Amino acid sequence: MKFAAIYIRVSTDSQAEEGYSIEAQKEQLSAYCVSKGIKKYEFYIDGGWSGSNIERPQMQRLIEDVNADKVSHVIVYKLDRLSRSQKDTLYLIEDVFNPHGVDFVSLNESMDTSTPMGRLMLGILSAFAQLERENIRLRTRMGMKERVRSGLWMGGGRVPFGYDYDKEQGVLVPNKDAEKVRQIYKLYIEGKAPQEIANLLGLKYDRLVYQILTRKSNYGIIEYNGEEYQGQHEPIISREMYDIAMRCMVERSFVRANTSEHLLTGLLHCGKCGAKMRYQKWGDKGFKLVCYSQQKSKPYLVKDPDCGQERVWAEEVEAEAIRAIFEFANNYKPSETESLAPGDTISLLQEQQKALNKKIKKLYNIYAAEEDNDILLETIEDLKKKLGQVNKQLESSTNNDAVLAGRKEKAELLLTVEELWDGMDVKQKKHIVRKLVNKVVITDSHVHIDFSL
């Protein structure tokens, strides 16, 4: 026999205080079942779960039981106990409950979807529930911005290394690791490598050193949504020390990029475990390419300690990469946009915008003359999505021109790369390869080139 499913959700302690406690909901919903002569019912209780989505344990069990045709009714105390998302609410009603003949009852709103009025009310109330959730999100964002603007920390779990968060005052407070932060800047400015600094100070990996060095909160600034605000917290270092460290970082990046003689440095990836690969000196015979999963120098780069990737000769992989670039260049056919001047992309997008608007208007006229044509509505929605994409591209026309210019540059490089290759030095060849290639994937002796066009 089928039974009624009583679904109960409480997300916070404050909701329990406001009369949404689990026991309060159980009492009223079971009393409703008795009043309606429903003798068999079962509770589905999600305590401490948000209503922003339906990824909740008991909600998933309820969906499974409905799909198994075990449920006759789904009964809740209030509509937002089911979900605060209009999309999820309508999905549950239209795609889960209705196909299995399950009636939905919301006690607080006196709603029963077995009646036409109940179905109408469902759509209206779901819309209001979604609106309230979006308003809460908007108020939260606005409150957060005002908080940061006044110099208080954002709160939450993302507390920078070297600080603790004082909830009462709402500010960051330097802790015992603050001195370690100062040492990181001092050692880096003195010329120590990030991995060496990490080893000296007991940090897990060199990437953490980079993260600490680039945090503006260390000299008193709070970054929020791309903007900077003066924080009320005590700085660990001076702005001058931060600026010196950033200049050192830029200088070292330039040196690293121009001193390596290896053509594919930074582009190599293992096809077996996905880790990066590096050049390793192999006696007097040259260099081999080794997967970082097989190295112990940087544990955070290990993807699979048991990776069986072959160690292949770098010279052979470079030769294969060059051959593949030449072959790609010979077969490459520029797209329509690459034949345009950078400024022409705007007029092209405007033509697409005009054509899409015309199609949408025409389809709406056809839809107005017909009844319940779902296919037409789906087509209109697809066209509106495309129109939205075109509108976004028009809004960022400067970026579009930059992208187009970059593609045109790559297309022009492909036309001459094989002819000019032998006359280039290593620096020029590396520049060309990085312009044209995203990554080089090596699976044993097989080489795959992922091009950026």
Side-chain angles (χ1 to χ4, degrees), residues 43 156 164 315 399 445 451:
F43 291 105
D164 289 326
E315 185 178 357
N399 291 335
S445 57
F451 290 98

Side-chain angles (χ1 to χ4, degrees), residues 140-160 163-167 169-173 215-217 220-233:
T140 301
R141 283 201 300 264
M142 291 175 65
M144 183 66 72
K145 186 171 182 179
E146 289 303 315
R147 178 184 178 85
V148 174
R149 184 177 289 167
S150 67
L152 300 177
W153 186 247
M154 295 165 282
R158 297 184 298 171
V159 179
Y163 283 103
D164 289 326
Y165 175 55
D166 186 332
K167 291 183 179 180
Q169 298 186 45
V171 297
L172 296 174
V173 179
R215 282 178 186 149
K216 296 182 180 180
S217 55
I221 296 297
I222 299 175
E223 294 182 281
Y224 180 72
N225 279 353
E227 297 184 30
E228 296 181 3
Y229 303 90
Q230 183 61 51
Q232 293 186 24
H233 62 278

Side-chain angles (χ1 to χ4, degrees), residues 46 49-50 52-60 63 88:
D46 279 319
W49 288 86
S50 168
S52 60
N53 59 63
I54 58 175
E55 298 303 320
R56 303 167 235 147
Q58 290 300 300
M59 172 58 73
Q60 292 302 310
I63 292 172
D88 287 341

Side-chain angles (χ1 to χ4, degrees), residues 348-361:
L348 180 64
L349 289 168
Q350 287 173 336
E351 289 178 9
Q352 293 178 8
Q353 183 189 51
K354 184 178 179 181
L356 286 168
N357 275 319
K358 187 176 180 180
K359 285 182 181 178
I360 292 170
K361 183 178 180 181

Side-chain angles (χ1 to χ4, degrees), residues 171-411:
V171 297
L172 296 174
V173 179
N175 59 23
K176 60 183 178 61
D177 290 319
E179 181 56 36
K180 192 173 287 188
V181 172
R182 296 186 190 98
Q183 290 179 316
I184 288 172
Y185 281 92
K186 181 176 179 293
L187 292 170
Y188 188 77
I189 291 170
E190 289 175 356
K192 298 288 187 184
Q195 186 63 56
E196 188 177 1
I197 295 172
N199 294 339
L200 285 170
L201 299 180
L203 301 176
K204 288 185 178 180
Y205 43 76
D206 59 347
R207 189 167 51 189
L208 180 57
V209 173
Y210 278 115
Q211 292 172 355
I212 293 170
L213 286 169
T214 55
R215 282 178 186 149
K216 296 182 180 180
S217 55
N218 290 329
Y219 69 86
I221 296 297
I222 299 175
E223 294 182 281
Y224 180 72
N225 279 353
E227 297 184 30
E228 296 181 3
Y229 303 90
Q230 183 61 51
Q232 293 186 24
H233 62 278
E234 177 187 342
I236 295 177
I237 60 165
S238 66
R239 172 65 186 267
E240 182 183 12
M241 177 173 277
Y242 176 86
D243 289 340
I244 293 171
M246 292 305 99
R247 286 199 295 273
C248 290
M249 191 173 291
V250 172
E251 290 169 2
R252 293 188 198 182
S253 298
F254 179 79
V255 170
R256 283 197 304 271
N258 289 278
T259 54
S260 174
E261 295 295 317
H262 301 308
L263 184 67
L264 303 177
T265 297
L267 299 175
L268 299 163
H269 293 260
C270 173
K272 289 195 171 182
C273 73
K276 292 183 178 181
M277 299 184 72
R278 63 183 289 263
Y279 284 80
Q280 187 175 75
K281 182 70 175 174
W282 211 260
D284 296 330
K285 297 181 180 180
F287 290 84
K288 281 195 172 185
L289 301 179
V290 181
C291 175
Y292 266 112
S293 285
Q294 300 168 348
Q295 303 286 294
K296 296 182 179 179
S297 58
K298 295 184 177 181
Y300 64 91
L301 291 178
V302 175
K303 299 289 186 181
D304 178 8
D306 300 319
C307 180
Q309 171 67 44
E310 289 183 16
R311 300 183 178 189
V312 294
W313 289 106
E315 185 178 357
E316 294 177 2
V317 174
E318 288 180 353
E320 175 60 23
I322 294 168
R323 185 201 65 75
I325 290 172
F326 291 168
E327 181 180 354
F328 183 80
N330 291 330
N331 296 326
Y332 183 73
K333 295 180 180 179
S335 66
E336 180 184 353
T337 55
E338 285 162 11
S339 64
L340 299 171
D344 290 342
T345 186
I346 296 176
S347 59
L348 180 64
L349 289 168
Q350 287 173 336
E351 289 178 9
Q352 293 178 8
Q353 183 189 51
K354 184 178 179 181
L356 286 168
N357 275 319
K358 187 176 180 180
K359 285 182 181 178
I360 292 170
K361 183 178 180 181
K362 182 178 179 180
L363 288 176
Y364 267 126
N365 289 334
I366 297 173
Y367 180 74
E370 299 185 16
E371 293 184 0
D372 298 329
N373 193 324
D374 293 337
I375 296 176
L376 269 179
L377 277 180
E378 289 177 8
T379 305
I380 290 171
E381 287 303 314
D382 289 341
L383 289 175
K384 286 168 71 175
K385 288 179 183 178
K386 291 178 182 178
L387 180 60
Q389 293 170 356
V390 170
N391 289 337
K392 285 182 180 179
Q393 288 178 296
L394 277 170
E395 289 174 6
S396 57
S397 58
T398 301
N399 291 335
N400 290 334
D401 284 353
V403 171
L404 179 58
R407 289 187 63 86
K408 284 177 70 67
E409 180 187 1
K410 293 175 183 180

